[in-house]
Amino acid sequence: AASFVKPPVKLISFSDFKKCGAFPRNPECDNMCVNFGSIDRSTSFVIYISHVWQRSYQGCPGWDGKPHPDHKTKKMFKLCVSGIDRIFKHMAPGMTKCYIWMDYGCVNQGNLALLPTALFHMHVVYKTCSLISHWNPLVCTCRLGPSPAVT
C-alpha cells in the first residue's frame, strides 16, 4: 500500500492576515503560516473562514488569471477584518492570539494534486476552531464554539 502523509493544518495569525490588505494566497503567503499543533489553544482564538469564490472563472468581472475569493475592491476582506476585530475583542475574553484558517491562505492553491490530502484535515479544523464564519455577499453566518458531533 502507498504511504499516505497527512500535511499539517496551517493557520495564519490575524495580525499578519490584516497586514496583507487582501486575502493572502498560499503558496505565496506560506511563510506566514504556523502549524496548528504549535499554538497554545488555551490562549488562542481560531476562526475558520468559509467563503464564496467571487472571481472564479475566466471572463468574470475582475478575473486576473487565478480564482479569488474576493472582489477587486477587497470588499469581503474588509468585511472579514472588521467583523473579526469586533468578535475577537468582544467574544474572546482571556485570549491573547487570534488565528485564521481559510483554504485560500492555508492550503497550497498552486498544487491542486495536494488539495485532497490538505482537505483531509477539515474535520480537525471544524472540531477545534473557536468560530466558524461564512462570508457570502448574500448572507453572513457565524457559529461560536467547536462543531458538535464532527468526526
Side-chain angles (χ1 to χ4, degrees):
S3 173
F4 179 71
V5 177
K6 296 181 238 173
V9 175
K10 297 179 179 182
L11 303 171
I12 300 172
S13 78
F14 183 52
S15 59
D16 287 342
F17 182 84
K18 288 194 295 189
K19 289 176 192 172
C20 291
F23 288 130
R25 182 179 188 273
N26 197 309
E28 292 84 356
C29 74
D30 197 55
N31 63 322
M32 74 173 69
C33 291
V34 298
N35 287 343
F36 178 81
S38 70
I39 68 168
D40 180 354
R41 288 290 292 132
S42 67
T43 59
S44 300
F45 195 73
V46 179
I47 298 176
Y48 170 96
I49 297 176
S50 175
H51 61 83
V52 173
W53 291 94
Q54 299 301 320
R55 293 180 274 155
S56 59
Y57 59 92
Q58 188 172 358
C60 71
W63 176 256
D64 64 1
K66 296 177 185 172
H68 199 283
D70 206 352
H71 306 279
K72 283 293 240 185
T73 61
K74 303 174 186 163
K75 175 182 173 181
M76 302 313 288
F77 176 79
K78 293 171 188 172
L79 181 63
C80 273
V81 168
S82 175
I84 292 168
D85 269 332
R86 288 185 192 143
I87 288 166
F88 185 60
K89 181 179 178 182
H90 298 290
M91 298 178 80
M95 299 292 167
T96 59
K97 295 283 281 182
C98 183
Y99 293 94
I100 304 299
W101 187 93
M102 178 182 192
D103 63 349
Y104 190 70
C106 298
V107 175
N108 187 332
Q109 302 296 303
N111 189 344
L112 296 180
L114 293 177
L115 192 58
T117 56
L119 295 178
F120 178 83
H121 289 302
M122 291 306 298
H123 70 285
V124 174
V125 176
Y126 280 124
K127 281 186 352 185
T128 57
C129 66
S130 309
L131 178 86
I132 294 175
S133 179
H134 179 71
W135 301 90
N136 178 310
L138 303 175
V139 67
C140 172
T141 58
C142 295
R143 186 198 49 73
L144 190 61
S147 296
V150 176
T151 57

